[in-house]
């Protein structure tokens, strides 16, 4: 019986250590979720400001700006996924949505774990970049995706969509290029003054707007990933707590049984 008690106490200590890890991961996910949620307003505003500037620049052109598709009709999808695990079924809605989209010439992924999951289900990414693991790295991820996208679309893609999880529980599939760009519309008010030729300014703002959209999608995905991890850690923490309570009750019973056994043995010895 003493050997079994030692085994239970060893398991208690191990699960207690695991609980400390779960608590740390839960706290970290909560902090990162809070930071990402606070940053979402900024990325949304950033995209809106660039969109407005783009529309004003377009208004200075004599006609609708060509969309640049030419003969290219192939479609690509940029998927923002998780970089690390402990996020439950975070990527499954992305995979399901991707499967319903029909022919896709190139799937591009931000998030190593998501890329591995897609490949396991027969979707081989054209390329993958690591997803941010802290809020300060989200803009750098968006820049890397924009750079890789520019190289790929220059060769064969005429359309690119964004696919990502939104906080708290949504999935977004949005056009990024070319239909996601602002269109040529009349803008009220006096014509703005330009420091660059309008056509050149439009090109610069198009790049900036695409980057802003990528940054917002990446931030949404980062928030959703940490919300999923927080949920998993909350569930794991409760499971650890329940298991510790069960083992503590078992250990107490074994100690009582061991004490009773020792007392009985002493009583028998005295009786003899």
């Amino acid at each position: 019986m003493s050997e079994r008690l030692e085994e239970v106490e060893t398991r208690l200590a191990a699960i207690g250590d695991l609980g400390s890890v779960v608590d740390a991961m839960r706290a970290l996910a909560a902090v990162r979720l809070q930071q990402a949620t606070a940053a979402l307003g900024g990325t949304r505003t950033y995209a809106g400001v660039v969109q407005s500037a783009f529309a004003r620049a377009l208004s200075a052109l004599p006609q609708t700006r060509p969309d640049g598709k030419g003969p290219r009709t192939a479609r690509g999808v940029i998927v923002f996924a998780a970089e690390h695990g402990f996020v439950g079924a975070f990527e499954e809605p992305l995979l399901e949505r991707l499967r319903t989209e029909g022919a896709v010439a190139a799937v591009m992924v931000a998030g190593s774990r998501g890329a591995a999951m897609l490949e396991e289900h027969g979707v081989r990414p054209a390329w993958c970049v690591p997803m941010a693991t802290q809020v300060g790295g989200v803009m750098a991820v968006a820049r890397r995706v924009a750079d890789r996208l520019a190289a790929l679309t220059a060769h064969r893609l005429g359309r690119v969509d964004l696919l990502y999880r939104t906080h708290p529980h949504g999935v977004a599939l949005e056009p990024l290029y070319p239909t996601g760009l602002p269109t040529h519309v009349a803008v009220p008010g006096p014509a703005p003054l330009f420091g660059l030729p309008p056509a050149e300014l439009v090109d610069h703002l198009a790049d900036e707007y695409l980057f802003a959209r990528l940054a917002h999608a990446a931030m949404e995905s980062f928030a959703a990933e940490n919300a999923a991890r927080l949920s998993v850690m909350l569930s794991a923490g409760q499971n650890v707590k329940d298991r510790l309570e069960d083992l503590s009750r078992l250990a107490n019973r074994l100690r009582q049984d061991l004490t009773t056994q020792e007392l009985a043995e002493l009583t028998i010895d005295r009786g003899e």
Side-chain angles (χ1 to χ4, degrees):
M1 185 175 296
S2 61
E3 290 82 2
R4 189 181 179 196
L5 177 58
E6 289 177 2
E7 178 186 347
V8 172
E9 289 176 338
T10 299
R11 291 173 64 191
L12 267 170
I15 293 177
D17 291 341
L18 178 60
S20 298
V21 174
V22 169
D23 288 344
M25 293 182 66
R26 181 184 62 213
L28 188 58
V31 169
R32 288 175 174 170
L33 173 59
Q34 184 179 31
Q35 291 172 338
T37 302
L40 279 171
T43 57
R44 189 179 293 111
T45 300
Y46 170 43
V49 169
V50 178
Q51 180 180 11
S52 177
F54 192 103
R56 284 200 168 273
L58 280 177
S59 68
L61 296 179
Q63 59 184 3
T64 302
R65 182 172 177 262
D67 59 20
K69 286 191 294 184
R72 297 172 296 172
T73 58
R75 179 189 178 201
V77 177
I78 299 173
V79 181
F80 285 95
E83 179 62 21
H84 297 304
F86 301 107
V87 289
F90 180 76
E91 281 93 1
E92 289 183 7
L94 299 174
L95 178 62
E96 291 173 5
R97 189 64 182 269
L98 196 58
R99 283 173 168 168
T100 65
E101 287 303 302
V104 176
V107 176
M108 301 150 279
V109 183
S112 302
R113 182 181 186 274
M117 187 275 291
L118 291 176
E119 195 155 1
E120 287 174 3
H121 289 81
V123 180
R124 184 179 295 275
W127 48 256
C128 171
V129 299
M131 183 55 182
T133 56
Q134 54 186 352
V135 71
V138 170
M139 301 299 275
V141 170
R143 179 60 64 194
R144 285 195 292 270
V145 171
D147 292 342
R148 298 292 295 270
L149 178 62
L152 193 60
T153 54
H155 288 88
R156 57 193 179 98
L157 294 181
R159 173 185 170 186
V160 177
D161 294 336
L162 292 174
L163 178 60
Y164 57 96
R165 295 292 305 270
T166 60
H167 176 61
H169 304 298
V171 178
L173 179 67
E174 303 170 346
L176 175 68
Y177 171 88
T179 54
L181 290 171
T183 56
H184 188 286
V185 294
V187 178
L193 298 176
F194 298 112
L196 292 173
E200 184 179 347
L201 180 61
V202 164
D203 285 335
H204 285 299
L205 288 174
D207 292 340
E208 190 71 15
Y209 182 65
L210 293 179
F211 171 73
R213 293 281 309 284
L214 289 169
H216 183 67
M219 192 65 74
E220 281 274 14
S221 180
F222 182 77
E225 176 184 346
N226 281 282
R229 185 170 291 112
L230 177 59
S231 177
V232 169
M233 290 301 107
L234 287 171
S235 178
Q238 185 60 51
N239 290 338
V240 166
K241 180 180 178 182
D242 293 343
R243 189 59 177 153
L244 284 174
E245 290 176 354
D246 291 342
L247 287 173
S248 295
R249 284 193 293 266
L250 177 58
N252 289 335
R253 183 173 61 81
L254 289 173
R255 291 188 192 99
Q256 291 172 359
D257 291 346
L258 185 59
T259 300
T260 301
Q261 180 182 348
E262 290 174 347
L263 286 173
E265 291 174 354
L266 289 172
T267 303
I268 293 172
D269 290 343
R270 276 178 164 264
E272 294 178 348

